[in-house]
């Protein structure tokens, strides 16, 4: 039987600094997918969190004259706040300093060791603290002053240390077989080639412990060593599912790890190799999204263009930022953003299009029917064509409004299953445009005098369409969607089954609900210049 569970994760972020908009982007996109799956009836586990161990954290804390734990606490709290501000619907916020996580890491280690894949040796080679990654000499490039840099452009240092190693070399063929057999293991497909050529170029055993610092998970039976931070970090996905308790299999294997393109190698090479070694099922998919650029430029502390996402949301609203990132950045590719673009998109798509539609229809009803829910009569061809375009109504054009079939959402569902997030949102926006056209064409204000019965049908058709739009918008703009649904006296999230609900309109009428004059769902936004963002 197919599992009805859906386990999705973001990467866990280093809390060596405050979150930036790239972190918010990953959380928002993953949240939209998680919400979509929940509304489709899946039992979802959605996990995000912070990756708190390792040299980078220790060095940053030392530089700030802080305890490492205090640095982690301070910034992890900001990541949590970011999640709250953006309405991220995670089920767990994991911190790798959580007690249960240590047990999971140690159990995974023991199993890899029992399989003969861990041995003690000496590491001599290049390490980038910023990337928390080991690099081969051949991967390095020269900086402007001739200094050696990692492929990501970060400084590397020569490291010599006793270390435990993982026999990654044993997994070269197994990994290639995996990519071959599980065609969608690495998504989008464009990320696959890079990984395949990295693996084909030959895998060396991987250093997986350190002795020169203590800020990490102790290696079982050898407390002189702490685990390499990526062994610890990747294991968070198991911990959050409940590993090593047998119950972890309820959600494991994960359906998708959503991560940025810079860390695909860790997830698509090291992670499956560790899991194979430990005899644990592999995640179904690794999805490497693109990078968010600030006005087309890479964000960095030195350029001073790192935007605080919490401030951005406080200034312009959660839905405005979410909507921009989800609808205007093609998921999987790099994207650019600016405060101006967020405001412009919000005003055009949300305030002027969806907001205005809701405003027009509800205030017309409040005013002209004294809030009474319009009675719906028989549909004409124009209505049918409209509803077909919105909801692809089925063949019988004269079917009453409350039995309209809605494969529209089925299309969206199959797109969303492939994480075509921006395509789904533009399709939604097109439906909003159609609704506004319908209002203009069928002009209920003109019908008020000439044909009040027909006027009510037009309004009923519009209410039906708006409700559909609100239901479909929930994963993207949860606040606004909730406000729109509240106007239908609906105060809980509505599952997508509600789109097929044949009797809701009759029930709504029977409830005697009075439609109130609406308050604006989307106030128009203005750019706030200072302080600049
Ligand atoms: N701690 C590791 C991940 C461990 S997962 C087991 C890490 N942390 S990070 O803080 O550097 O990055 C967290 C996530 O944010 C990563 O998926 C990364 O790709 C993503 N992003 C970092 N900068 C980004 C942008 N500018 N744009 C979009 N995503 C970005 O890597």
């Amino acid at each position: 039987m197919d599992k009805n569970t859906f386990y999705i994760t973001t990467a866990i972020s280093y809390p060596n600094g405050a979150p930036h908009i790239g972190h918010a982007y990953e959380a928002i996109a993953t949240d939209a997918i998680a919400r979509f799956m929940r509304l489709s009836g899946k039992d979802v586990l959605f996990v995000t969190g912070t990756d708190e161990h390792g040299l980078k954290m220790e060095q940053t804390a030392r530089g700030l004259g802080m305890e490492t734990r205090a640095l982690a606490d301070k910034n992890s709290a900001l990541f949590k706040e970011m999640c709250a501000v953006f309405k991220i619907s995670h089920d767990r916020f994991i911190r790798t300093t959580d007690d249960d996580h240590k047990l999971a890491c140690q159990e995974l280690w023991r199993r890899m060791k029992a399989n003969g894949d861990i041995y003690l040796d000496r590491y001599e080679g290049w390490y980038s603290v910023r990337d928390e990654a080991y690099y081969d000499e051949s991967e390095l490039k020269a900086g402007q002053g001739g200094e050696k840099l990692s492929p990501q452009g970060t400084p590397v240092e020569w490291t010599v240390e006793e270390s435990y190693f993982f026999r990654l070399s044993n997994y070269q063929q197994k990994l290639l077989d995996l990519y071959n057999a599980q065609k969608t293991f690495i998504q989008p497909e464009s990320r696959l080639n890079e990984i395949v050529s990295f693996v084909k170029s030959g895998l060396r055993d991987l250093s997986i412990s350190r002795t020169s610092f203590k800020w990490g998970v102790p290696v079982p039976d050898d407390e002189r060593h702490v685990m390499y931070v990526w062994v610890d970090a990747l294991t968070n996905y198991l911990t959050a599912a409940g590993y090593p308790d047998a119950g972890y299999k309820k959600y494991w294997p994960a359906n998708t790890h959503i991560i940025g393109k810079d860390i695909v190698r860790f997830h698509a090479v090291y992670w499956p190799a560790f899991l194979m070694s430990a005899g644990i099922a592999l995640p179904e998919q690794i999805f490497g999204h693109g990078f968010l650029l600030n006005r087309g430029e890479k964000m960095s502390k030195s350029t001073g263009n790192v935007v605080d996402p919490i401030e951005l949301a406080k200034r312009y609203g959660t839905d405005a930022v979410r909507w921009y990132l989800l609808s205007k950045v093609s998921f999987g590719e790099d994207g650019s953003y600016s405060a101006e673009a967020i405001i412009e998109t919000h005003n055009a798509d949300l305030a002027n299009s969806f907001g205005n539609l809701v405003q027009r229809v509800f205030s017309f009803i409040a005013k002209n029917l004294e809030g009474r829910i319009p009675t719906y009569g028989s549909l004409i061809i124009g209505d049918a064509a409209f509803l077909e375009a919105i909801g692809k109504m089925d063949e019988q054009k004269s079917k009453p409004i409350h039995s309209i079939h809605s494969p529209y959402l089925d299309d969206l569902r199959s797109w969303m299953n492939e994480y075509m997030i921006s395509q789904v949102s533009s399709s939604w926006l097109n439906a909003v445009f159609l609704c506004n056209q319908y209002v203009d064409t069928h002009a209920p204000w003109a019908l008020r005098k000439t044909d009040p019965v027909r006027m009510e049908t037009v309004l009923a058709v519009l209410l039906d369409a708006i409700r559909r739009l609100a239901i479909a918008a929930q994963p993207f703009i949860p606040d606004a969607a909730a406000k729109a649904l509240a106007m239908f006296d609906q105060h809980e999230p509505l599952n997508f089954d509600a789109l097929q609900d044949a009797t809701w309109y009759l029930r709504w009428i029977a409830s005697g609900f009075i439609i109130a004059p609406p308050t604006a769902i989307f106030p128009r936004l203005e750019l706030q210049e200072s302080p600049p963002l």
Side-chain angles (χ1 to χ4, degrees):
M1 200 182 79
D2 260 7
K3 265 186 160 182
N4 191 41
T5 57
F6 185 81
Y7 181 18
I8 188 164
T9 63
T10 64
I12 47 171
S13 304
Y14 294 123
N16 61 325
H20 59 62
I21 185 100
H23 297 123
Y25 174 59
E26 184 170 300
I28 290 169
T30 311
D31 180 64
I33 300 169
R35 285 175 183 267
F36 201 93
M37 294 300 169
R38 268 190 216 108
L39 295 172
S40 303
K42 294 269 184 195
D43 172 359
V44 172
L45 176 64
F46 168 19
V47 175
T48 188
T50 42
D51 181 2
E52 307 192 357
H53 291 129
L55 200 48
K56 171 147 87 176
M57 283 296 290
E58 196 175 272
Q59 285 185 357
T60 313
R62 204 180 305 135
L64 293 168
M66 289 174 86
E67 289 293 323
T68 318
R69 176 75 208 207
L71 176 71
D73 286 349
K74 175 172 166 259
N75 288 323
S76 184
L78 290 178
F79 277 91
K80 270 194 182 156
E81 187 187 346
M82 175 190 85
C83 288
V85 165
F86 283 103
K87 302 284 155 73
I88 305 304
S89 64
H90 53 281
D91 300 289
R92 173 162 178 190
F93 186 99
I94 189 170
R95 299 182 58 183
T96 52
T97 46
D98 290 344
D99 288 341
D100 59 346
H101 180 62
K102 182 171 153 189
L103 296 179
C105 293
Q106 292 182 331
E107 180 58 20
L108 183 77
W109 183 286
R110 281 192 199 98
R111 289 182 71 157
M112 297 194 294
K113 186 149 191 226
N115 196 37
D117 281 329
I118 294 183
Y119 61 92
L120 190 61
D121 203 338
R122 222 169 90 94
Y123 179 76
E124 254 185 67
W126 297 104
Y127 192 75
S128 158
V129 179
R130 288 253 294 278
D131 302 349
E132 295 279 24
Y134 299 94
Y135 291 109
D136 207 56
E137 177 87 38
S138 62
E139 292 182 277
L140 303 182
K141 54 185 188 184
Q144 280 174 349
E147 75 280 16
K148 287 185 190 295
L149 295 178
S150 79
Q152 318 274 2
T154 58
V156 290
E157 57 196 47
W158 187 253
T159 307
V160 181
E161 225 173 300
E162 180 186 274
S163 174
Y164 283 98
F165 280 79
F166 174 76
R167 286 188 207 282
L168 189 62
S169 54
N170 276 356
Y171 289 87
Q172 180 168 354
Q173 194 51 46
K174 292 186 184 108
L175 287 166
L176 293 172
D177 292 346
L178 163 70
Y179 310 145
N180 221 353
Q182 217 168 302
K183 292 281 183 232
T184 55
F185 182 68
I186 302 172
Q187 287 292 306
E189 225 178 299
S190 52
R191 313 238 178 268
L192 176 68
N193 297 343
E194 197 187 317
I195 293 298
V196 169
S197 54
F198 172 70
V199 173
K200 278 193 175 154
S201 72
L203 292 178
R204 298 229 206 144
D205 290 352
L206 179 71
S207 162
I208 53 163
S209 75
R210 307 291 303 260
T211 51
S212 52
F213 63 93
K214 286 272 154 257
W215 183 243
V217 177
V219 165
D221 309 320
D222 192 347
E223 301 257 322
R224 294 171 307 132
H225 289 251
V226 292
M227 291 182 196
Y228 170 40
V229 65
W230 272 100
V231 176
D232 159 359
L234 289 161
T235 308
N236 95 84
Y237 303 133
L238 282 173
T239 312
Y243 183 82
D245 289 349
Y248 83 100
K249 289 189 179 159
K250 175 172 180 204
Y251 292 103
W252 191 264
N255 296 71
T256 306
H257 297 312
I258 304 283
I259 53 164
K261 63 179 182 180
D262 57 327
I263 55 171
V264 173
R265 182 190 293 185
F266 300 94
H267 284 78
V269 181
Y270 302 163
W271 185 224
F274 296 161
L275 291 169
M276 283 180 202
S277 168
I280 297 175
L282 307 185
E284 277 172 26
Q285 186 178 90
I286 309 297
F287 190 102
H289 62 73
F291 260 45
L292 211 56
L293 308 169
N294 185 343
R295 295 166 211 275
E297 281 181 33
K298 204 173 162 190
M299 288 175 284
S300 76
K301 288 200 177 114
S302 50
T303 340
N305 64 350
V306 182
V307 166
D308 173 6
I310 299 176
E311 179 56 30
L312 197 65
K314 284 189 180 154
R315 217 179 260 194
Y316 300 118
T318 297
D319 282 341
V321 181
R322 284 180 68 111
W323 177 252
Y324 177 81
L325 295 177
L326 294 171
S327 66
K328 301 297 179 275
V329 179
S330 176
F331 195 51
E333 287 163 36
D334 289 351
S336 195
Y337 81 94
S338 64
E340 290 88 331
I342 292 172
I343 293 166
E344 206 175 291
T345 305
H346 170 275
N347 287 347
D349 298 356
L350 301 182
N352 295 352
S353 298
F354 186 53
N356 197 26
L357 167 73
V358 176
Q359 192 71 22
R360 283 163 104 185
V361 172
F362 278 79
S363 46
F364 187 90
I365 295 172
K367 197 163 152 210
N368 295 296
L369 293 180
E370 287 164 348
R372 179 175 56 75
I373 299 170
T375 309
Y376 129 66
S378 38
L379 299 180
I380 62 169
I381 288 175
D383 304 336
F386 163 67
L387 285 163
E388 192 171 1
I390 295 279
K392 299 225 190 92
M393 195 175 83
D394 65 17
E395 292 309 294
Q396 279 172 276
K397 304 258 189 277
S398 60
K399 267 195 167 182
I401 192 168
H402 46 267
S403 63
I404 285 164
H405 173 55
S406 190
Y408 167 64
L409 238 284
D410 289 338
D411 290 350
L412 293 195
R413 237 177 261 195
S414 61
W415 289 358
M416 202 65 182
N417 283 335
E418 294 185 28
Y419 306 154
M420 294 164 69
I421 301 176
S422 60
Q423 290 85 336
V424 172
S425 24
S426 27
S427 161
W428 179 86
L429 189 60
N430 282 336
V432 174
F433 294 155
L434 280 177
C435 286
N436 276 318
Q437 267 173 28
Y438 180 88
V439 179
D440 294 339
T441 315
H442 295 272
W445 52 88
L447 292 167
R448 195 161 61 92
K449 292 259 158 54
T450 54
D451 190 348
V453 172
R454 171 71 192 145
M455 174 194 78
E456 292 207 24
T457 302
V458 167
L459 294 169
V461 166
L462 281 163
L463 287 171
D464 182 56
I466 291 171
R467 177 176 169 275
R468 278 164 205 271
L469 290 171
I471 293 170
Q474 294 174 101
F476 302 100
I477 42 173
D479 279 354
K483 280 189 202 154
L485 286 174
M487 295 165 82
F488 290 87
D489 199 23
Q490 178 62 49
H491 303 279
E492 295 295 324
L494 267 188
N495 193 297
F496 290 149
D497 286 348
L499 289 154
Q500 318 287 347
D501 180 349
T503 58
W504 77 274
Y505 200 85
L506 293 179
R507 289 201 313 275
W508 194 37
I509 291 196
S511 75
F513 182 72
I514 296 293
I515 290 176
T519 46
I521 309 182
F522 305 102
R524 279 184 64 81
L525 298 175
E526 305 276 341
L527 186 64
Q528 297 172 29
E529 300 272 6
S530 88
L533 273 179

